[in-house]
């Protein structure tokens, strides 16, 4: 499918997803991909679509076309399709009663062929391995005339993008949506959540853009202050500490005993499920690690999930969200022998395991061997002009409040001369750059690094420390900015050595950039394809060390 025929990656705000999705994507049989980071609301969207259809009629909020235009809607988790040869077979096994009027594959096949059908497959990332039916469905080898909606974390379907007519990204909450969510939470719980309403720390504010994180923060407010929370890892550590105390009271065990006899077997069983791309754990897997399933249930991490199908009933245990599975896997990996942990990381796909690796880095407080392994695996020293796996170490650094001297030295030794941030980079990438900008120079030989901002958001331009006393970051490049703030000069430190602006169409922004160079010890200043009516020559005369000027 050509690029012109696809709707590529528009961003959908969380509060208007179902209506916008229906209006933009459901007008003809096609494959639709919805991507979003963990906890952003992908499963909620699927459930809302299915619920809206199940109500059976349009209302004033329905766009045209809408989900009610489908005669049939089937809702699966990706893992539900494993082991089946057709959608009809999976439907009979998972969705239909054995003694109903429709109970054979032939009947289901006939109905699917005769009617306009939407097939929703949630959580591709949790069930894509050993799942040929799922691949056939995406590539149109089965149910070609049905509309198929797939949800996944980013990066998992990059080999299949050509099969999707529409690709959409779920955005997080903006400030107003956060306020609406907290207000609704307060109404349901009957008390005010002061700690979340008055957030001033940028790192916690970033967490609040994800609905799941915001809900966790609201719940943690019941137990006390959010002062110790500065990252996603620290938030989950606070949840872990809370659950550990509760389990200790329920089981009449010390916290150390709960950790050893209940949680450590759970960590191992969780890691085994994670490695096999499963979001659930069987009772045999729990007991095989020497744990007691009932005690693990009381620990608060897992819930009992009885899966009833036409073939058999099966008792399994699941997590309230995949991120809790990621977190427990990270705890398990933090206890591994370093050589085994290194071997696992070096053979794993960093993009598909990013959530767990970020937790691991935060739990281990940026241990130097782990940092070095991640940089080698992701080719950090050969960073590309895009937000890809080479940026992983930046997002890892965002999980820390401080870095040790040996970690700083290891990172600066492998750091590329220019670190690139794009408009697609997350706030965590920018926070990682800020961390590098605040690092101390290596004990032997200084470095001169640069931050290159490609089509940056205004917040990215403001947040990066450049040319501060003792900082290794002494150069800045900006390409095609939407704007450069008037106080840009205050962001450029007295040790800045090199500045470049490329493709700036706004004269005021160009002037703000040039003013940032005034009285700095620049050796190079480049202004390429920038809109300027008059260049302030007083700036040039203030640059005593300038060796290269390009206009």
């Amino acid at each position: 499918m050509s690029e012109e025929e696809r709707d590529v990656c528009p961003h959908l705000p969380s509060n208007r997803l179902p209506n916008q999705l229906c209006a933009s994507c459901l007008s003809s049989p096609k494959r639709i991909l919805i991507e979003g980071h963990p906890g952003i609301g992908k499963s909620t969207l699927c459930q809302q679509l299915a619920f809206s259809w199940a109500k059976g009629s349009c209302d004033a909020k329905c766009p045209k076309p809408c989900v009610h235009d489908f005669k049939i809607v089937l809702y699966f988790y990706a893992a539900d399709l494993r082991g089946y040869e057709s959608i009809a077979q999976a439907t009979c096994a998972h969705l239909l009663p054995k003694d109903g009027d429709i109970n054979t594959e032939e009947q289901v096949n006939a109905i699917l062929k005769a009617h306009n059908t939407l097939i929703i497959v949630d959580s591709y990332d949790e069930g894509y391995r050993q799942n040929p039916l799922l691949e056939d469905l995406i590539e149109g080898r089965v149910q070609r005339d049905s509309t198929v909606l797939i949800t996944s974390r980013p990066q998992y379907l990059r080999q299949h993008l050509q099969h999707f007519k529409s690709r959409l990204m779920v955005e997080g909450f903006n400030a107003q949506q956060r306020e609406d969510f907290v207000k609704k939470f307060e109404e349901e719980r009957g008390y005010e959540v002061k700690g979340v309403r008055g957030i001033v720390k940028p790192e916690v504010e970033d967490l609040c853009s994800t609905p799941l994180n915001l809900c966790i923060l609201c719940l943690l407010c019941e137990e006390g202050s959010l002062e110790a929370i500065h990252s996603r890892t620290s938030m989950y550590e606070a949840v872990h500490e809370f659950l550990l105390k509760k389990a200790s009271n329920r089981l009449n065990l010390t916290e150390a005993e709960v950790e050893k006899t209940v949680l450590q077997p759970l960590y191992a069983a969780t890691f085994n499920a994670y490695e096999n791309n499963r979001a659930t754990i069987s009772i045999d897997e729990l007991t095989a690690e020497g744990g007691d399933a009932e005690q693990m249930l009381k620990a608060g991490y897992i819930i009992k999930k009885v899966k009833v199908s036409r073939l058999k009933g099966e008792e399994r245990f699941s997590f309230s969200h995949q991120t809790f599975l990621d977190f427990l896997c990270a705890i398990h990996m933090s206890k591994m022998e370093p050589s085994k942990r290194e071997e696992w990381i070096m053979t794993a796909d960093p993009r598909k395991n990013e959530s767990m690796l970020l937790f691991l880095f935060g739990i281990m407080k940026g241990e130097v061997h782990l940092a070095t392994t991640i940089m080698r695996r992701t080719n950090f020293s050969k960073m590309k002009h895009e937000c890809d796996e080479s940026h992983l170490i930046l997002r890892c650094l965002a999980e820390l409040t401080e870095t040790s001297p040996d970690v700083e030295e290891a990172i600066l030794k492998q750091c590329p001369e220019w670190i690139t941030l794009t408009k697609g980079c997350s706030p965590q990438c920018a926070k990682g750059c800020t961390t590098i900008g605040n690092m101390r120079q290596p004990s032997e030989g200084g470095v001169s690094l640069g931050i290159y901002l490609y089509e940056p958001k205004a917040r990215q331009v403001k947040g990066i420390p450049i040319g501060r006393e003792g900082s290794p970051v002494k150069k800045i490049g900006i390409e095609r900015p939407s704007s450069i703030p008037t106080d840009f000069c205050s962001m450029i430190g007295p040790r800045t050595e090199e500045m470049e602006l490329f493709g700036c169409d706004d004269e005021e922004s160009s002037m703000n950039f040039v003013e940032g160079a005034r009285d700095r010890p620049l050796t190079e200043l480049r202004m390429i394809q920038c809109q300027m009516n008059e260049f302030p020559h007083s700036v040039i005369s203030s640059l005593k060390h300038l060796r290269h000027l390009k206009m």
Side-chain angles (χ1 to χ4, degrees):
M1 190 178 294
S2 69
E3 188 76 10
E4 290 75 17
E5 292 175 297
R6 292 202 298 270
D7 304 316
V8 181
C9 228
H11 291 253
L12 299 180
S14 299
N15 63 330
R16 290 186 289 146
L17 269 172
N19 288 347
Q20 285 202 356
L21 174 66
C22 292
S24 62
C25 299
L26 302 184
S27 56
S28 61
K30 61 180 71 170
R31 267 51 181 166
I32 305 162
L33 172 60
I34 298 179
E35 294 179 302
H37 293 290
I40 206 71
K42 302 181 295 295
S43 295
T44 301
L45 165 63
C46 292
Q47 292 161 9
Q48 194 167 351
L49 280 173
F51 178 75
S52 179
W53 177 82
K55 291 197 310 186
S57 61
C58 295
D59 57 30
K61 295 181 180 180
C62 283
K64 287 296 180 183
C66 75
V67 71
H68 298 106
D69 293 332
F70 291 99
K71 186 71 174 178
I72 298 170
V73 172
L74 303 177
Y75 182 9
F76 297 101
Y77 289 101
D80 292 340
L81 303 184
R82 279 197 186 115
Y84 299 102
E85 297 180 357
S86 69
I87 293 299
Q89 191 180 60
T91 301
C92 288
H94 291 288
L95 304 179
L96 297 178
K98 190 172 183 179
D99 57 354
D101 294 335
I102 302 172
N103 55 22
T104 68
E105 292 178 43
E106 291 76 14
Q107 288 175 300
V108 174
N109 263 324
I111 292 171
L112 295 179
K113 288 179 180 179
H115 298 289
N116 189 19
T117 302
L118 169 64
I119 302 173
I120 300 172
V121 182
D122 191 17
S123 304
Y124 174 90
D125 49 286
E126 296 176 21
Y128 68 95
R129 290 184 192 165
Q130 299 176 348
N131 201 336
L133 176 57
L134 179 58
E135 304 304 306
D136 288 345
L137 184 65
I138 290 170
E139 295 176 13
R141 288 192 288 269
V142 299
Q143 300 301 134
R144 180 181 296 274
D145 296 326
S146 299
T147 293
V148 177
L149 187 155
I150 305 284
T151 72
S152 177
R153 295 183 184 188
Q155 303 294 344
Y156 278 79
L157 280 148
R158 59 188 183 276
Q159 305 294 336
H160 297 285
L161 293 180
Q162 70 272 21
H163 299 293
F164 290 95
K165 168 70 175 177
S166 297
R167 181 185 175 200
L168 307 119
M169 177 68 74
V170 183
E171 285 185 337
F173 285 156
N174 60 29
Q176 184 58 53
Q177 291 162 354
R178 289 201 306 268
E179 182 71 18
D180 293 343
F181 181 96
V182 173
K183 183 177 180 181
K184 186 175 181 180
F185 183 93
E186 289 174 336
E187 289 173 352
E188 292 181 355
R189 307 290 285 197
Y191 60 85
E192 186 177 356
V193 186
K194 295 182 180 179
V196 176
R197 280 187 180 276
I199 282 174
V200 292
K201 293 194 295 184
E203 55 268 32
V204 179
E205 186 178 358
D206 292 336
L207 284 173
C208 290
S209 66
T210 301
L212 175 65
N213 293 344
L214 184 54
C215 183
I216 292 173
L217 288 170
C218 288
L219 291 169
L220 287 174
C221 273
E222 296 181 17
E223 302 303 316
S225 171
L226 300 180
E227 283 300 315
I229 295 175
H230 57 83
S231 65
R232 192 179 68 141
T233 300
S234 61
M235 181 178 71
Y236 275 73
E237 286 177 329
V239 173
H240 184 70
E241 182 180 349
F242 170 76
L243 292 177
L244 183 60
K245 289 179 180 177
K246 290 290 186 182
S248 175
N249 292 332
R250 289 193 195 108
L251 299 173
N252 197 27
L253 298 171
T254 65
E255 291 184 14
E257 289 171 332
V258 173
E259 176 71 25
K260 181 177 180 179
T261 63
V262 181
L263 292 181
Q264 287 190 11
L266 179 58
Y267 302 154
T270 301
F271 184 71
N272 181 58
Y274 182 90
E275 284 205 294
N276 289 283
N277 189 224
R278 287 186 285 100
T280 59
I281 307 171
S282 71
I283 191 167
D284 291 339
E285 289 171 320
L286 290 178
T287 54
E289 299 296 339
D292 183 307
E294 290 303 317
Q295 285 190 329
M296 291 182 188
L297 278 171
K298 291 179 180 178
Y301 267 112
I302 56 175
I303 56 175
K304 189 179 294 186
K305 183 177 182 180
V306 179
K307 178 181 174 184
V308 180
S309 72
R310 289 158 53 87
L311 301 178
K312 61 178 179 178
E314 184 180 5
E315 187 177 85
R316 301 189 72 83
F317 299 85
S318 66
F319 294 85
S320 56
H321 195 270
Q322 174 76 8
T323 47
F324 288 100
L325 185 149
D326 296 340
F327 179 71
L328 294 192
C329 283
I331 294 178
H332 180 78
M333 284 197 68
S334 71
K335 301 176 184 298
M336 278 185 178
E337 289 291 331
S339 59
K340 290 184 178 180
R341 184 168 55 242
E342 178 182 5
E343 181 182 358
W344 192 96
I345 293 172
M346 291 303 293
T347 56
D349 186 331
R351 287 169 290 194
K352 292 181 178 179
N353 295 281
E354 177 167 326
S355 177
M356 189 275 291
L357 289 173
L358 292 177
F359 278 136
L360 177 63
F361 198 86
I363 290 168
M364 296 187 68
K365 311 303 180 189
E367 187 269 337
V368 64
H369 184 70
L370 175 62
T372 302
T373 302
I374 290 175
M375 287 189 290
R376 284 195 293 120
R377 178 65 184 90
T378 58
N379 293 311
F380 176 57
S381 63
K382 300 177 181 178
M383 182 178 288
K384 298 178 182 177
H385 204 55
E386 58 185 281
C387 188
D388 63 1
E389 63 184 42
S390 63
H391 279 207
L392 178 58
I393 193 65
L394 299 179
R395 296 188 285 275
C396 283
L397 289 172
E399 297 296 317
L400 307 178
T401 53
E402 59 182 7
T403 49
S404 63
D406 55 346
V407 169
E408 291 183 0
E409 187 164 349
I411 288 174
L412 292 177
K413 281 183 178 179
Q414 293 199 40
C415 200
E417 182 183 0
W418 287 93
I419 302 171
T420 302
L421 286 181
T422 74
K423 64 179 179 181
C425 281
S426 68
Q428 285 69 38
C429 291
K431 186 181 175 186
C433 284
T434 300
T435 300
I436 291 177
N438 290 325
M439 288 180 177
R440 293 146 287 195
Q441 287 280 8
S443 55
E444 296 182 6
V447 297
S448 180
L449 306 177
I451 304 293
Y452 196 90
L453 306 173
Y454 180 74
E455 295 186 351
K457 301 171 185 174
R459 181 175 177 179
Q460 288 176 325
V461 176
K462 284 190 171 186
I464 308 299
I466 307 294
R468 293 181 182 173
E469 190 71 42
S471 171
V473 178
K474 302 177 180 180
K475 301 180 285 189
I476 183 170
I478 304 178
E479 182 170 336
R480 305 188 191 284
S482 57
S483 67
I484 295 177
T486 54
D487 60 347
F488 179 72
C489 60
S490 66
M491 305 171 202
I492 304 301
R495 295 292 181 264
T496 304
E497 297 176 351
E498 186 175 328
M499 294 175 64
E500 176 182 313
L501 181 63
F502 180 91
C504 183
D505 298 327
D506 179 61
E507 182 180 354
E508 183 179 353
S509 290
S510 296
M511 291 296 292
N512 291 338
F513 183 87
V514 172
E515 285 296 330
R518 187 182 295 275
D519 295 323
R520 300 304 189 270
L522 296 188
T523 57
E524 295 189 38
L525 174 63
R526 296 183 292 276
M527 302 282 292
I528 306 168
Q529 297 180 21
C530 296
Q531 183 67 37
M532 291 188 70
N533 290 334
E534 183 179 353
F535 192 87
H537 293 285
S538 61
V539 172
I540 298 298
S541 62
S542 75
L543 303 179
K544 307 300 183 184
H545 303 279
L546 192 65
R547 295 197 302 264
H548 181 72
L549 171 66
K550 184 173 183 180
M551 301 293 293

